[in-house]
Amino acid sequence: MFSPDQENHPSKAPVKYGELIVLGYNGSLPNGDRGRRKSRFALFKRPKANGVKPSTVHIACTPQAAKAISNKDQHSISYTLSRAQTVVVEYTHDSNTDMFQIGRSTESPIDFVVTDTVPGSQTNSDTQSVQSTISRFACRIICERNPPFTARIYAAGFDSSKNIFLGEKAAKWKTSDGQMDGLTTNGVLVMHPRNGFTEDSKPGIWREISVCGNVFSLRETRSAQQRGKMVEIETNQLQDGSLIDLCGATLLWRTAEGLSHTPTVKHLEALRQEINAARPQCPVGFNTLAFPSMKRKDVVDEKQPWVYLNCGHVHGYHNWGNKEERDGKDRECPMCRSVGPYVPLWLGCEAGFYVDAGPPTHAFSPCGHVCSEKTTAYWSQIPLPHGTHTFHAACPFCAHQLAGEQGYIRLIFQGPLD
């Protein structure tokens, strides 16, 4: 992941502010990462600052308001109050910040193109048929160019004409100091974890972020006209492990500092080899099991371990134990006779989702993605927004809604018998 100024000065590594990782993808998009459309996006300090900050406010249809809107070189946010009245807030260049924009649009102002996440989808064709609820210009992140490189999030992004338009239907209001503020149609929700992104992390409370970066409690439904209550003691400053929900996709923000303590793909590969080196066996067929390499993470291999999700006993694939009366989905474990789903196990390859570097001993249910105990425990507690007014816990690697009492299970491997 090179930034433009790295090519000219390869010795001088650019400053990395952090990375955004889309939940539901296990290391890359189904058809591969391409250009601005990928499963994770690194934010580097830009060669030249491109941040903006609010300056002049124009009320109504004055000539300068109209000019500000039509001026292609001037960023502005327009709040339509009625047919007769529009408030235009001009934005001016800020040499101390860098701006990064995220949304569904592939137009050039968008740095990171995000499409709707379909749980467990293996190909992009699975995702194309969905009517998207992600805004074309969903949000923007402003990073301070000087240490500590604070990153802040704001709802809505500027379009190709450097404008943000909040139409008559959008929730908007005048603030106590005479400024304007508003919310986007489906909103930008943020959750900051308590205790950072560590093995001690606990889920925080979901909030909505306004166009000016203020923090509000959630609306009754995603696009309700009535805004929530302002939460003055909280800010729009992102921290390691903050989750950003764009109504159709959820992103995890990891700071550069936080990522430096996260297991690397190399470390995960070493853990995979360690499990395989212990030569776990199928307790029935006695054949040796092995997790396939990270590259082959969608094709079921003949040595692939499978698990009974109710008890955690790991086996090789076999055909017996089907419970016909239960439509063939449930199986009876030959070890303990407990009946439940029987699924292949996959290693979680996206290192950014791990809260610690522990061994892969637990699997999410019902998808069978394997990672450390603390990581499964953390994600199983997080209510992720789903649709316009529900929340449920999901596997970060494939976005499948979690099932069962805990949403995950401890794996019981049988060692070699020799």
Side-chain angles (χ1 to χ4, degrees):
M1 188 69 208
F2 285 99
S3 82
D5 55 347
Q6 200 172 4
E7 288 161 23
N8 312 336
H9 319 279
S11 57
K12 189 171 159 269
V15 170
K16 187 201 258 189
Y17 297 129
E19 291 195 31
L20 290 165
I21 309 171
V22 189
L23 264 54
Y25 300 106
N26 196 5
S28 66
L29 294 185
N31 294 348
D33 291 345
R34 295 196 181 95
R36 292 173 295 154
R37 199 177 290 223
K38 45 194 161 196
S39 70
R40 63 192 291 172
F41 173 70
L43 285 69
F44 286 103
K45 184 173 182 175
R46 297 189 184 275
K48 245 173 78 198
N50 74 332
V52 293
K53 57 189 177 189
S55 62
T56 325
V57 179
H58 302 281
I59 294 179
C61 303
T62 59
Q64 47 307 16
K67 189 166 152 252
I69 297 172
S70 62
N71 182 350
K72 294 270 187 281
D73 301 321
Q74 173 101 47
H75 286 84
S76 65
I77 302 184
S78 309
Y79 301 86
T80 306
L81 302 180
S82 68
R83 290 205 180 140
Q85 196 183 29
T86 298
V87 176
V88 179
V89 181
E90 284 186 19
Y91 275 64
T92 173
H93 176 67
D94 181 357
S95 57
N96 297 315
T97 61
D98 285 338
M99 179 167 70
F100 301 88
Q101 300 209 135
I102 300 134
R104 184 171 48 88
S105 169
T106 52
E107 287 181 32
S108 57
I110 294 293
D111 297 284
F112 187 28
V113 178
V114 177
T115 49
D116 294 70
T117 304
V118 176
S121 70
Q122 296 303 325
T123 64
N124 281 351
S125 61
D126 296 348
T127 63
Q128 292 310 315
S129 55
V130 185
Q131 181 67 48
S132 182
T133 43
I134 299 174
S135 166
R136 290 173 58 240
F137 299 91
C139 68
R140 58 200 195 279
I141 290 175
I142 303 268
C143 299
E144 299 278 343
R145 286 172 66 85
N146 297 315
F149 307 118
T150 306
R152 296 179 181 278
I153 182 164
Y154 300 81
F158 294 99
D159 64 17
S160 298
S161 321
K162 301 191 173 174
N163 284 318
I164 291 172
F165 286 104
L166 290 185
E168 275 188 78
K169 289 209 172 85
K172 54 194 145 356
W173 59 90
K174 220 184 205 108
T175 58
S176 52
D177 55 1
Q179 299 290 327
M180 291 297 299
D181 200 357
L183 303 174
T184 53
T185 307
N186 286 330
V188 172
L189 308 188
V190 171
M191 189 208 82
H192 306 303
R194 304 202 307 273
N195 311 330
F197 196 70
T198 63
E199 47 190 70
D200 304 318
S201 292
K202 291 278 179 282
I205 297 167
W206 283 99
R207 302 292 192 202
E208 179 161 10
I209 303 295
S210 72
V211 172
C212 296
N214 292 309
V215 182
F216 293 86
S217 61
L218 301 189
R219 292 180 262 182
E220 279 192 17
T221 60
R222 277 307 272 258
S223 55
Q225 294 267 294
Q226 191 59 41
R227 69 173 193 261
K229 286 195 173 67
M230 189 160 173
V231 185
E232 305 217 1
I233 52 169
E234 293 179 28
T235 75
N236 62 338
Q237 187 175 325
L238 295 174
Q239 58 187 63
D240 193 34
S242 290
L243 286 167
I244 301 164
D245 187 81
L246 304 178
C247 196
T250 309
L251 316 179
L252 172 69
W253 168 256
R254 297 298 316 269
T255 59
E257 160 76 6
L259 284 168
S260 67
H261 303 299
T262 294
T264 57
V265 172
K266 221 186 228 158
H267 175 78
L268 298 183
E269 177 57 27
L271 291 174
R272 179 184 81 86
Q273 289 178 6
E274 206 173 297
I275 285 195
N276 290 350
R279 293 179 45 236
Q281 283 192 332
C282 174
V284 178
F286 302 125
N287 47 318
T288 301
L289 307 175
F291 278 100
S293 83
M294 303 254 187
K295 299 264 185 303
R296 304 197 43 198
K297 54 178 188 235
D298 302 324
V299 187
V300 179
D301 189 85
E302 60 195 54
K303 288 179 144 185
Q304 187 117 7
W306 285 62
V307 69
Y308 286 92
L309 285 175
N310 270 358
C311 56
H313 284 115
V314 178
H315 289 67
Y317 182 72
H318 48 239
N319 275 322
W320 66 82
N322 255 335
K323 290 279 168 206
E324 290 308 329
E325 70 276 12
R326 295 168 172 269
D327 71 15
K329 280 207 183 79
D330 285 353
R331 298 284 194 89
E332 183 174 88
C333 171
M335 301 292 285
C336 66
R337 311 298 297 272
S338 77
V339 171
Y342 174 62
V343 299
L345 291 174
W346 305 97
L347 278 176
C349 311
E350 177 46 82
F353 295 147
Y354 283 72
V355 297
D356 68 342
T361 52
H362 288 64
F364 286 108
S365 171
C367 58
H369 278 107
V370 178
C371 56
S372 68
E373 178 180 10
K374 295 250 166 80
T375 300
T376 49
Y378 177 64
W379 287 103
S380 67
Q381 298 171 51
I382 292 196
L384 292 167
H386 179 74
T388 57
H389 55 268
T390 55
F391 289 81
H392 59 224
C395 168
F397 301 106
C398 69
H400 265 303
Q401 182 173 352
L402 299 185
E405 215 168 296
Q406 288 183 302
Y408 63 95
I409 186 154
R410 184 171 74 86
L411 300 175
I412 304 167
F413 285 96
Q414 164 125 348
L417 299 176
D418 45 18

